[in-house]
Amino acid sequence: MGPLRTEPSMSNQFLVLSAMQSHTNSLHVHLVATACVFNLTTQNLAEAMPLSLLSSTVTQLLYAMKTFPNHQQVQKNCLLALCSDYILQDVPFDKYLAAMLVINWLCSHEDPTLQRMAVAVISILVAKLSTEETAQLGKDVFIMKLLAIVQQKAMLGVVDSTLKFALSALWNLTDEMPTAARNFIECQGLELYEEVLESYYTEPSIQQKVLGLLNNIAEVEVLQADLMREDLLEHILSLLQDSQVEVGVRYFAGGTLAQLASRPEAWTLGDELRSTILKHLHASIMTWTQLEREMVSYRSFSPFCPLLQTLQPSGVQLWAVWAIHLVCSQNTSHYSSMMEKEGVTELLKALAAHPETHADIKGLSDSILRMVEQHHSHSGSFYNQMGP
């Protein structure tokens, strides 16, 4: 067995990192070093490096972004290096600091290429932040900038990655974030999203992200009044009913309508529209096929709890149960513990046992409870085998 060899890219990366750490305030060093970092971590090279080395390198990149905020090339090099799925998903670093730095950069620059990268980085990072950290990023100035990007693209009728990433970032920023959702409304986001929903009628990936954010608003009781727009709800209802529309789009259309129809005391439009929505919710959901790919993830099931009450109309209950069944079947271990912790298991048992619960809902509730039970018994037998 010969001597241990260090990969050239790895030893070079050590040298680059060392130079950045030794010359923290040298623009020249950081200008060259950040370019080297991109070249040394591009493609699959990053995956061959130790995580600790990559983590230290990304920390140094963030330091460079913070220290030289007005130097275009340093910022560009850092964004190029950060714009890597592997680094953003698997490498440990201060993701909140990174998101703040990139959003601040985005708010003061217009370069289209860098804008695309910045929006991509933000959309991935926001999904990885804690609730408290996300709340800090939901300020109106950041929301306004992302909305400006959406408007810019929508005016040209373009469908590109910048538009999709901006919509994803806004969706994640408003997820169980009432203040961010309020900021979105105050920045005229609803008017823009209504236009986007209508003009991008042949683009399910765009519609899904728009409706996902409208779901987030509909989950906030004090903001539901802002969604009481007849034209908007009739358009969403038409998407729910259309069998030619992808299930992913119909799912989020149904979620928005289920949340709004679940509170008759807050309903300010005609009773006939609410009745129509409730009738079509149930009928449409029963035609949906189970989705294989993961389409949505939930921080918690708390927005579902009011929909699972035994007094709710069947269409409202069915949407909530179908949604829980969807995510549980895709990630049972994660969601079964969330269900237990948040009392959803008990709500489903009450639904399944109630004499007036519709058979469709009983069937799905029982299916979820069986899934959770099987997971627990499997986990239990696994831990028993691991025991002394």
Side-chain angles (χ1 to χ4, degrees), residues 259 301-309 312 320 324 342-344 347:
Q259 287 288 352
F301 281 136
S302 57
F304 289 76
C305 294
L307 311 185
L308 294 169
Q309 302 301 317
Q312 286 287 8
I324 294 168
E342 297 178 4
V344 173
L347 287 171

Side-chain angles (χ1 to χ4, degrees), residues 18 25 52 62 69 101 139 175 185 239 246-247 282 297 346:
S18 174
N25 295 313
S52 57
L62 299 182
L101 288 168
K139 294 174 184 169
D175 183 15
I185 291 167
L239 292 173
E246 281 190 14
V247 172
H282 196 124
S297 61
E346 292 309 310

Side-chain angles (χ1 to χ4, degrees), residues 104-316:
N104 282 325
W105 182 90
L106 186 65
C107 287
S108 52
H109 294 81
E110 294 295 332
D111 181 298
T113 310
L114 296 189
Q115 187 185 74
R116 179 182 58 76
M117 288 190 291
V119 174
V121 169
I122 291 163
S123 76
I124 293 170
L125 288 178
V126 168
K128 298 194 162 297
L129 300 180
S130 70
T131 308
E132 295 73 21
E133 289 169 336
T134 309
Q136 289 299 310
L137 292 179
K139 294 174 184 169
D140 53 359
V141 62
F142 299 152
I143 300 268
M144 212 180 293
K145 180 61 186 177
L146 289 167
L147 282 172
I149 292 169
V150 172
Q151 185 168 32
Q152 189 182 47
K153 298 292 177 183
M155 281 170 70
L156 300 169
V158 220
V159 179
D160 63 9
S161 58
T162 307
L163 174 62
K164 290 179 182 179
F165 282 129
L167 291 170
S168 293
L170 285 162
W171 184 4
N172 283 322
L173 280 171
T174 53
D175 183 15
E176 292 195 38
M177 293 288 147
T179 307
R182 163 61 67 203
N183 289 339
F184 174 88
I185 291 167
E186 288 175 355
C187 293
Q188 274 72 55
L190 276 180
E191 289 78 4
L192 175 61
Y193 267 42
E194 193 169 351
E195 285 173 26
V196 171
L197 202 56
E198 288 175 10
S199 55
Y200 285 86
Y201 61 91
T202 58
E203 297 293 337
S205 63
I206 303 292
Q207 289 185 313
Q208 202 168 294
K209 295 175 200 302
V210 168
L211 289 164
L213 186 141
L214 296 182
N215 262 231
N216 290 345
I217 294 173
E219 288 170 2
V220 184
E221 287 189 1
V222 293
L223 300 181
Q224 288 178 343
D226 292 281
L227 291 172
M228 290 291 167
R229 304 172 180 212
E230 200 162 332
D231 288 351
L232 175 62
L233 297 195
E234 283 178 350
H235 184 69
I236 295 173
L237 178 60
S238 71
L239 292 173
L240 172 75
Q241 292 173 265
D242 191 344
S243 58
Q244 301 303 308
V245 170
E246 281 190 14
V247 172
V249 174
R250 298 172 80 194
Y251 172 84
F252 289 110
T256 304
L257 296 172
Q259 287 288 352
L260 296 175
S262 70
R263 296 180 64 233
E265 70 279 12
W267 187 266
T268 56
L269 301 173
D271 288 342
E272 193 182 333
L273 178 58
R274 183 171 175 268
S275 302
T276 307
I277 285 170
L278 291 171
K279 184 178 75 177
H280 286 295
L281 260 175
H282 196 124
S284 299
I285 294 167
M286 290 313 296
T287 66
W288 296 353
T289 49
Q290 191 67 27
L291 297 162
E292 296 302 317
R293 62 185 178 84
E294 198 169 340
M295 179 185 68
V296 63
S297 61
Y298 290 104
R299 289 180 194 267
S300 79
F301 281 136
S302 57
F304 289 76
C305 294
L307 311 185
L308 294 169
Q309 302 301 317
T310 52
L311 292 173
Q312 286 287 8
S314 72
V316 169

